[in-house]
Amino acid sequence: MGAADSIPGVSGGTIAFITGIYERLITAITSLDPGALTLFRDVGNPSGRRRLYDRLVEMDVPFLLVLGAGIITAVVAVSRVVYLALQQAPGATFAFFFGLIAASAIVLYDQLSLATPGRIAAAVAGFALAFLVSGVTAGANGIHTLPIVFVSGAIAVVAMVLPGVSGAFFLVLLGQYEYLTGTLKAFVDGLFSALVGDRTLLSLVDSGTTVVTFVVGAVVGLVTVAHAIRWALDHYRAATLSFLVSLMVGALRLPVIEMRDHTTTLSPENVAPLVLAIVVGGGVVLLLDLYTDDLSY
């Protein structure tokens, strides 16, 4: 799930479906009760520790901790690779993202039916919103304040609760993807350097603050955005999915702009790698869909 959540166009929720843990994940997230924190007051005695343990098991917290550790490990590893790709070959990397997102939209549109005016309106609104936002965020620099990072974390976490829609895609749409992957890489590198004594922990304040803010936003998103999306799906499922999938189509404007900006001339030697990257990206999603075509989104 962590590897999928790191790549725009691929959903960690889909991986949860494939591995058979999706319903358990949603149940565990929506079962979290802040009131259980009061049980920590009695950890000094055996009966208090037992009550705390039983409550945590009841909420399936051990499952969430193990899953979270796996997700974090994969995110750290994969985001480093993607960040290096963006630095070395930005045009081809965004072409790969274009293929991933376009194929994802095609696959998901096959699951939808725009049979009512409400669904059509939701689709048009989603496309228009993403098209406008992606035009603003493409190539934008310096719009990375902590409130924006916090909101980005809350929004990106939808990939964990909605199969088919990628959290990393939303980071690309918001213009935060490259910045956050670079910040995470800098934080992890700095942390290792601090552990071996090459740097001080104070040098990690800037990158660490950004990482923590994003994580806090994601946690808040789990208990707010997750519930909101489940409510929308329960009451307006078709319209909600139409809106979300149309967001993906409208957001294709961003990788197109990035490919254009990082391509000096439209010569065959420059265009061929972009086409190949698009085909590979789209092929990854279509191959995944081929092996998950019996899943209901």
Side-chain angles (χ1 to χ4, degrees), residues 23 112 188 191:
E23 290 188 20
L112 303 178
V188 173
L191 187 60

Side-chain angles (χ1 to χ4, degrees), residues 186-200:
F187 175 72
V188 173
D189 289 345
L191 187 60
F192 278 115
S193 296
L195 291 176
V196 298
D198 292 340
R199 320 177 43 173
T200 63

Side-chain angles (χ1 to χ4, degrees), residues 2 69 74 84 86 95 163 193 198-201 206 239 262 282:
L84 291 174
L86 284 169
S193 296
D198 292 340
R199 320 177 43 173
T200 63
L201 289 176
D206 289 341
H262 291 95

Side-chain angles (χ1 to χ4, degrees), residues 99-293:
L100 288 170
I101 296 170
S104 296
I106 291 172
V107 168
L108 291 174
Y109 263 128
D110 189 52
Q111 310 286 333
L112 303 178
S113 173
L114 301 179
T116 67
R119 298 176 191 177
I120 295 174
V124 171
F127 175 86
L129 176 63
F131 188 84
L132 293 175
V133 172
S134 59
V136 173
T137 57
N141 292 311
I143 314 175
H144 308 299
T145 61
L146 291 181
I148 291 178
V149 171
F150 177 88
V151 172
S152 298
I155 294 175
V157 81
V158 299
M160 294 179 60
V161 295
L162 189 63
V165 178
S166 165
F169 151 75
F170 284 109
L171 295 182
V172 171
L173 175 60
L174 295 171
Q176 303 299 313
Y177 185 79
E178 186 173 356
Y179 167 73
L180 289 173
T181 53
T183 301
L184 179 60
K185 177 181 179 298
F187 175 72
V188 173
D189 289 345
L191 187 60
F192 278 115
S193 296
L195 291 176
V196 298
D198 292 340
R199 320 177 43 173
T200 63
L201 289 176
L202 289 177
S203 63
L204 303 178
V205 171
D206 289 341
S207 59
T209 300
T210 300
V211 171
V212 170
T213 300
F214 180 84
V215 172
V216 172
V219 172
V220 172
L222 279 178
V223 296
T224 55
V225 177
H227 286 277
I229 289 176
R230 296 313 303 176
W231 180 89
L233 287 174
D234 288 341
H235 293 82
Y236 306 100
R237 179 178 180 82
T240 301
L241 291 176
S242 298
F243 176 81
L244 291 171
V245 176
S246 297
L247 274 177
M248 302 177 73
V249 178
L252 288 173
R253 179 184 182 185
L254 189 145
V256 169
I257 292 175
E258 296 291 349
M259 283 189 287
R260 181 199 64 193
D261 291 345
H262 291 95
T263 303
T264 55
T265 60
L266 294 179
S267 61
E269 58 269 21
N270 288 333
V271 174
L274 302 182
V275 174
L276 178 61
I278 291 173
V279 172
V280 172
V284 168
V285 173
L286 295 178
L287 186 63
L288 179 63
D289 179 63
L290 177 65
Y291 286 98
T292 60
D293 58 358

Side-chain angles (χ1 to χ4, degrees), residues 56-95:
L56 293 178
V57 171
E58 183 183 354
M59 293 187 296
D60 218 359
V61 171
F63 163 75
L64 291 176
L65 290 176
V66 174
L67 181 66
I71 290 174
I72 291 171
T73 301
V75 166
V76 170
V78 176
S79 63
R80 294 175 66 86
V81 176
V82 176
Y83 178 74
L84 291 174
L86 284 169
Q87 300 304 305
Q88 300 298 322
T93 303
F94 274 103

